[in-house]
């Protein structure tokens, strides 16, 4: 006779895993034999560069890596990410105290709320924003205060609009530029304002820089840590998932304020025993080896962007082109909300997009598309949408 399983209260408070549901709908449609073009996810479609894969194959034979790795990772990987940040952004990091190795960036984005927030504390989150920010806040028993990202503000938060009662209890704030889902980018001036805001209100800044390598039209995205004073008020999360097409490898980092890095290391001491050493060695090569593959990847995404937007424009769907990330944030046609339009595209055009409402209330009125298919496939998607006659 089975016993009654009663979940802990924290499990009942978790938000719905938005992307898991989206994948389920896409797979169900494809299982019927339909030719589905899935532009709804953020899963890179191109392979990891060959020299990184070859290094993993070689490193896997090293008996040292068949043992448990150091709890906080091998020093050579922390040194590699510090070297990359110095070369790319001019940011000096102490590998021993200002770098934490993560099981992908998502892990750290959830963990930081558990490290810093108590029940009743407030976390400032972008709306629309990456749903996994919400997961960490829920697990910590804290409360979210949404910062609307509006087109008229360049999809940047307006710090003056945050309610005073929320500011009084706020301990943590998430930012994400280049932005998922809006594809907006941040300026040095914005980050300077952010540091001043954080100092004034005692709020820790968590900068999600997952798309930091992907900027278009000759512009390099700005790292929060480039800002004077940034390490005094916060940290940045970086990942190899997008920069090197290593999403399945699960290699990420937290970088910056040494006290926060120590907290993340401490919580991970209780959860994990770091990454397989062979993956760490290959990741170090990715960071310190030739970077041509990164430049080539950005060029691929820029060509895809232009192919898609040219095709959409030919059918009457006009929108501002992304400045960074591999996402497109497109307004829905008149007469639809984001969910109804996403459903229409799936049912009548076999195209999967992510409805904006899944990223927060202020995502309503938009859908997110990923530039994660070949140019010909993106043009085909635009043609299928055009044949619905919604933008004429």
């Amino acid at each position: 006779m089975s016993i009654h399983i009663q979940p802990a209260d924290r499990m009942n408070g978790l938000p719905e895993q938005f992307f898991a549901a989206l994948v389920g709908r896409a797979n169900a449609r494809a299982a019927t034999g339909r030719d589905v073009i899935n532009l709804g996810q953020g899963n890179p479609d191109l392979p990891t560069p060959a020299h990184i894969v070859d290094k993993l194959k070689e490193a896997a034979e090293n008996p040292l890596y068949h043992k448990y790795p150091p709890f906080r990772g091998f020093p050579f990987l922390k040194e590699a990410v510090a070297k990359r940040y110095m070369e790319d952004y001019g940011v000096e990091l102490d590998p021993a105290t200002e770098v934490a190795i993560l099981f992908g960036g998502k892990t750290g984005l959830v963990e930081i709320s558990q490290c810093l927030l108590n029940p009743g504390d407030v976390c400032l989150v972008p709306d629309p924003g990456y749903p996994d920010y919400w997961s960490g806040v829920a697990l910590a028993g804290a409360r979210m205060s949404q910062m609307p990202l509006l087109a008229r503000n360049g999809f940047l938060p307006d710090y003056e609009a945050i309610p005073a009662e929320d500011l009084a209890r706020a301990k943590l704030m998430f930012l994400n530029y280049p932005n998922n889902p809006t594809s907006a980018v941040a300026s040095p001036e914005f980050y300077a304002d952010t540091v001043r805001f954080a100092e004034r209100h005692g709020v820790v800044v968590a900068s999600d820089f997952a798309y930091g390598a992907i900027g278009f039209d000759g512009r390099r995205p700005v790292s929060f840590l480039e800002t004077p004073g940034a390490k005094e008020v916060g940290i940045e999360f970086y990942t190899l998932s997008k920069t090197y097409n290593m999403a399945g490898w699960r290699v990420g980092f937290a970088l910056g304020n040494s006290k926060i890095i120590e907290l993340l290391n401490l919580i991970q001491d209780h959860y994990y025993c770091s990454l397989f050493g062979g993956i760490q060695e290959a990741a170090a090569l990715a960071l310190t080896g030739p970077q041509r593959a990164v430049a080539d990847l950005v060029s691929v995404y820029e060509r895809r962007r232009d192919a898609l937007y040219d095709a959409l424009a030919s059918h009457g769907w006009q929108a501002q082109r992304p400045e960074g990330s591999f996402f497109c944030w497109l307004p829905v046609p008149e007469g639809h909300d984001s969910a109804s339009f996403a459903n229409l595209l799936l049912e009548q055009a076999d195209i999967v997009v992510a409805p904006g409402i899944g990223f927060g209330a202020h995502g309503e009125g938009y859908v997110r598309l990923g530039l994660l298919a070949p140019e010909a496939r993106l043009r085909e998607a635009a043609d299928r949408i055009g044949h619905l006659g919604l933008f004429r």
Side-chain angles (χ1 to χ4, degrees):
M1 184 175 181
S2 61
I3 63 171
H4 175 64
I5 306 298
Q6 181 65 41
D9 291 344
R10 70 179 64 87
M11 300 303 294
N12 296 324
L14 285 171
E16 178 185 3
Q17 226 304 335
F18 174 71
F19 293 105
L22 184 67
V23 170
R25 293 186 64 230
N27 290 344
R29 184 75 174 177
T32 66
R34 308 289 300 186
D35 179 22
V36 174
I37 302 177
N38 188 348
L39 305 179
Q41 296 174 251
N43 197 359
D45 64 305
L46 296 171
T48 304
H51 68 285
I52 303 172
V53 177
D54 289 342
K55 175 56 70 174
L56 175 62
K57 293 175 182 177
E58 174 191 325
E61 297 183 353
N62 186 343
L64 172 65
Y65 298 146
H66 302 171
K67 304 176 184 294
Y68 288 121
F71 267 82
R72 300 186 177 190
F74 285 100
F76 64 73
L77 181 52
K78 298 180 183 183
E79 292 164 3
V81 73
K83 180 176 184 290
R84 176 56 38 219
Y85 255 68
M86 175 55 74
E87 291 185 1
D88 286 353
Y89 308 110
V91 173
E92 184 174 355
L93 294 165
D94 181 342
T97 63
E98 295 180 337
V99 178
I101 297 172
L102 307 171
F103 280 77
K106 171 178 174 173
T107 299
L109 293 169
V110 173
E111 289 171 342
I112 191 171
S113 290
Q114 298 173 75
C115 289
L116 296 177
L117 299 177
N118 290 315
D121 289 337
V122 167
C123 180
L124 305 174
V125 297
D127 180 0
Y130 182 48
D132 282 322
Y133 305 151
W134 315 341
S135 303
V137 178
L139 287 168
R143 180 170 66 85
M144 293 190 298
S145 176
Q146 279 79 15
M147 300 184 295
L149 305 186
L150 306 176
R152 65 173 179 265
N153 295 331
F155 297 108
L156 299 170
D158 178 0
Y159 295 141
E160 298 299 320
I162 299 171
E165 60 271 25
D166 288 347
L167 271 180
R169 302 190 67 87
K171 291 178 64 178
L172 176 65
M173 174 174 66
F174 286 102
L175 295 175
N176 168 219
Y177 295 99
N179 185 255
N180 173 18
T182 71
S183 74
V185 298
S187 67
E189 293 76 18
F190 169 75
Y191 281 138
D193 289 343
T194 298
V195 169
R196 288 191 290 269
F197 169 83
E199 291 173 337
R200 186 163 63 248
H201 297 286
V203 176
V204 169
V205 178
S207 168
D208 177 2
F209 202 41
Y211 304 92
I214 306 173
F216 300 133
D217 305 313
R219 301 187 184 97
R220 180 182 62 79
V222 178
S223 163
F224 168 67
L225 293 182
E226 291 181 72
T227 313
K231 283 200 288 187
E232 279 67 53
V233 299
I235 65 171
E236 187 153 84
F237 292 96
Y238 192 75
T239 171
L240 303 194
S241 295
K242 281 73 179 181
T243 307
Y244 303 98
N245 288 330
M246 294 173 66
W249 298 56
R250 311 312 303 139
V251 185
F253 307 95
L255 314 163
N257 184 281
S258 60
K259 293 180 180 178
I260 302 170
I261 295 301
E262 175 57 28
L263 291 174
L264 286 168
N265 277 325
L266 179 59
I267 198 171
Q268 292 198 141
D269 286 347
H270 292 272
Y271 279 143
Y272 313 114
C273 188
S274 199
L275 301 169
F276 171 57
I279 287 180
Q280 293 193 51
E281 185 171 329
L285 176 67
L287 290 160
T288 61
Q291 299 299 299
R292 180 66 195 180
V294 179
D296 290 345
L297 180 65
V298 173
S299 295
V300 167
Y301 287 140
E302 187 165 338
R303 289 195 299 272
R304 289 178 177 183
R305 178 200 66 169
D306 292 342
L308 176 64
Y309 275 75
D310 287 347
L312 291 175
S314 72
H315 294 292
W317 196 359
Q318 302 285 346
Q320 183 175 342
R321 300 190 182 211
E323 296 180 65
S325 83
F326 50 49
F327 292 121
C328 307
W329 192 235
L330 293 156
V332 303
E334 188 175 346
H336 283 278
D337 60 29
S338 62
S340 70
F341 183 55
N343 287 334
L344 178 72
L345 293 185
L346 182 61
E347 293 168 5
Q348 297 192 19
D350 290 313
I351 296 170
V352 180
V353 300
I357 192 65
F359 301 94
H362 288 88
E364 185 52 83
Y366 294 86
V367 291
R368 191 195 74 179
L369 282 69
L371 298 170
L372 302 173
E375 291 175 46
R377 197 71 163 150
L378 292 169
R379 291 192 190 94
E380 180 181 350
D383 289 344
R384 291 187 192 181
I385 295 168
H387 292 151
L388 298 177
L390 298 169
F391 298 94
R392 295 292 186 186

